[in-house]
Amino acid sequence: MNVWDYLESLKSRWRLIVLTALTVLAAVAVWTWQSPRTYTASATLLFDLQQADPVAAKGGGSASKASTVLGTQAEIIRSGIVAQRVAAQLGYDKKPELVAAYRASGTHGLGLREWIGRRLLGPLEVVTTRNTNVLAVNYKGGDPDVAARLATAFAEAYVQTQLQLRIDPARVYSQWFESQITDARDRLEVAQRRLSSFQQQRGLVGAGRFDIEQAQLSELSQQMTSAQAELAQAQARANTSVGTSSSTQQSGVVQGLDSQIAGKSAELQQLRQTLGPNHPLVAAGRAELGELQSRRSQAVGNAVSAVRTDSAAAASREASLRGLVAAQRERVLRLANAQDEMSVLQRDVDTARTAYDAVTGRLNEMRLQSEIPQTNVSVLDRATAPTLPSSPDVGLRLLLGILGGLFFGMIIALFLEWRRPKVRTVDGFEAATGVAVLADLTRGSINLGFGGKGATA
């Protein structure tokens, strides 16, 4: 038999094929009708991945990929802690039938809520929506209301768990920072006491003490320089001869006496020329001139004594200033050393204060974080009881039933044809009898016996 014979056999046995297909379809319909209905309820969660932590430090971290974040959160939803929270919220741990089933199971090492939670996780399915920040929490069950209630309970329990996962570590850190802040405060107080004690011992109380002492040293140095210049000038005046002493020449008394002596000398010279050297007026003039010269010598001596006195006073002032500068320089050097030691103590105080401020800041941050009432996830849609079952798929089953029935009917028809073949075509007749067919009256054509299948007229 060739392919055309089998096709003709299928055409002739179409009733058998249709009957088989209807039978299979009826069986599938009965099976679908008897199958338990499964309803799928879905709740959705929205994640705000761009929301920044209101108390976290700026620049403290880098954003993670959305796929990684959603995958992690999906695993948390499927975790036992969320399932146990659902069991507690819905009161499943208090239902007598579940308690009895737990006791009958003989499970050891698992608590009642953990055992119930593991059973609740079976029908749970968490689906990540592509290119979105939405997670779908699907729950399957025979009762649509129960499935909707469980899907919503898992979504809400996850939000509460997520908040707890953020708050609990913050509270632990807050307690730890509270224990550390006392030590930080004690270290700061000790450092401040050491600095204050050192300042009092070294006389460094007051801001800018070292600068003040250094300014005083600079001022004394300037005064000593001026005193040295004055001393040099005084010594120069004191070391000159009496006649050439500038101080003596500049004295008003000496200059007046010089003027009187010059006038008296001129007058005496004129008297000598007119009256003669032995005249009483000439003798009186000589006596007055001698008196003036004696007075001038006394005035010059007084001026020289004043110059020497000024030189001695300048030397004494210069020596005094030199001693003050030396003492001030030594004090500045001591203060410089003390300033270095005080800088070390001040750095200890600054370090302790920085540590204390850091601990205080982190403590306040952890306290705020432990009191945050929400996270970056929220329930977008609560699950509602589905009206149509998700399983079984009636349309798909019926389609597969009719296709399977047709295929099964064709197999039966071909099998029967193979067991009891019949001549249904010209080629089949020629193959079975070995006699050429001259004409096929069913087709209204004449086979001439030569040229093969195509030789018809």
Side-chain angles (χ1 to χ4, degrees):
M1 296 178 65
N2 56 21
V3 177
W4 298 105
D5 290 328
Y6 284 111
L7 291 177
E8 289 294 333
S9 66
L10 292 177
K11 185 187 297 184
S12 62
R13 297 178 184 272
W14 66 269
R15 292 182 180 85
L16 175 62
I17 295 174
V18 171
L19 180 61
T20 303
L22 292 177
T23 302
V24 172
L25 182 61
V28 170
V30 173
W31 172 53
T32 301
W33 181 261
Q34 296 296 330
S35 297
R37 301 292 189 271
T38 301
Y39 296 88
T40 301
S42 179
T44 55
L45 296 169
L46 175 63
F47 291 83
D48 186 4
L49 301 182
Q50 301 300 325
Q51 179 181 348
D53 193 339
V55 297
K58 295 182 179 179
S62 58
S64 303
K65 293 183 178 179
S67 58
T68 304
V69 174
L70 295 182
T72 303
Q73 303 312 312
E75 293 299 324
I76 296 177
I77 297 174
R78 289 189 290 262
S79 64
I81 186 173
V82 177
Q84 294 177 36
R85 187 183 291 272
V86 171
Q89 288 179 352
L90 298 181
Y92 283 179
D93 55 343
K94 298 179 181 179
K95 289 187 176 182
E97 60 273 16
L98 291 178
V99 175
Y102 167 72
R103 293 174 179 175
S105 64
T107 304
H108 299 285
L110 293 179
L112 175 59
R113 289 185 180 178
E114 187 176 358
W115 180 79
I116 296 175
R118 291 191 176 186
R119 295 187 60 180
L120 293 177
L121 287 175
L124 178 66
E125 181 183 14
V126 182
V127 180
T128 58
T129 306
R130 187 176 181 181
N131 298 329
T132 65
N133 296 334
V134 177
L135 277 181
V137 181
N138 300 332
Y139 201 88
K140 297 180 180 180
D143 190 338
D145 295 327
V146 174
R149 186 162 57 250
L150 283 170
T152 302
F154 267 97
E156 293 177 346
Y158 162 73
V159 173
Q160 297 172 2
T161 302
Q162 182 71 3
L163 182 59
Q164 182 180 357
L165 291 176
R166 173 175 292 189
I167 290 178
D168 288 349
R171 288 177 177 173
V172 173
Y173 281 120
S174 177
Q175 295 174 358
W176 184 81
F177 280 118
E178 286 179 355
S179 64
Q180 293 297 315
I181 197 171
T182 303
D183 296 337
R185 186 188 298 110
D186 293 340
R187 288 193 295 268
L188 177 58
E189 292 177 353
V190 170
Q192 287 178 338
R193 283 196 298 268
R194 290 175 58 189
L195 177 60
S196 299
S197 176
F198 181 82
Q199 288 176 334
Q200 293 176 357
Q201 291 175 359
R202 299 301 178 90
L204 296 176
V205 179
R209 182 65 180 174
F210 179 76
D211 296 336
I212 295 174
E213 296 294 339
Q214 197 169 16
Q216 290 180 354
L217 175 61
S218 177
E219 183 179 355
L220 288 174
S221 298
Q222 293 176 358
Q223 293 178 3
M224 187 184 70
T225 302
S226 300
Q228 288 175 346
E230 293 176 359
L231 175 62
Q233 293 177 0
Q235 289 177 347
R237 289 194 301 268
N239 291 331
T240 57
S241 62
V242 175
T244 60
S245 175
S246 60
S247 298
T248 301
Q249 298 297 330
Q250 293 176 358
S251 174
V253 176
V254 174
Q255 290 179 357
L257 290 174
D258 286 340
S259 178
Q260 292 178 10
I261 290 173
K264 185 57 69 176
S265 296
E267 182 182 355
L268 181 61
Q269 184 67 25
Q270 186 177 4
L271 288 175
R272 283 177 179 178
Q273 292 177 358
T274 56
L275 299 179
N278 296 320
H279 193 276
L281 293 176
V282 173
R286 283 199 299 268
E288 292 179 2
L289 181 61
E291 179 66 21
L292 291 174
Q293 290 176 346
S294 176
R295 289 170 58 188
R296 182 183 182 281
S297 298
Q298 185 178 2
V300 169
N302 292 334
V304 170
S305 177
V307 169
R308 291 176 179 174
T309 302
D310 291 341
S311 177
S316 176
R317 183 170 181 272
E318 188 271 341
S320 176
L321 286 174
R322 184 183 294 110
L324 291 176
V325 168
Q328 185 66 20
R329 183 179 291 111
E330 183 179 358
R331 179 175 177 80
V332 169
L333 290 177
R334 289 198 305 269
L335 287 178
N337 295 331
Q339 189 78 10
D340 295 337
E341 296 180 14
M342 189 180 70
S343 298
V344 175
L345 296 176
Q346 184 64 49
R347 283 196 296 270
D348 293 341
V349 172
D350 295 339
T351 302
R353 180 177 289 107
T354 301
Y356 176 75
D357 293 340
V359 173
T360 303
R362 290 293 293 169
L363 174 60
N364 294 332
E365 180 181 332
M366 290 297 104
R367 284 176 176 173
L368 289 175
Q369 191 168 353
S370 63
E371 296 174 358
I372 293 178
Q374 62 183 7
T375 62
N376 62 339
V377 59
S378 58
V379 179
L380 183 60
D381 291 319
R382 299 177 181 273
T384 57
T387 57
L388 296 177
S390 59
S391 177
D393 191 339
V394 179
L396 180 60
R397 284 194 180 186
L398 293 179
L399 177 61
L400 293 178
I402 192 170
L403 293 178
L406 291 174
F407 179 75
F408 189 61
M410 293 169 63
I411 294 297
I412 294 176
L414 293 176
F415 178 74
L416 294 177
E417 187 69 21
W418 176 74
R419 290 290 303 272
R420 297 183 62 185
K422 295 181 180 181
V423 177
R424 302 182 185 278
T425 63
V426 174
D427 292 337
F429 179 80
E430 290 178 349
T433 61
V435 179
V437 178
L438 298 179
D440 186 359
L441 300 179
T442 59
R443 296 185 179 180
S445 61
I446 299 174
N447 192 338
L448 300 179
F450 57 88
K453 293 180 181 179
T456 58

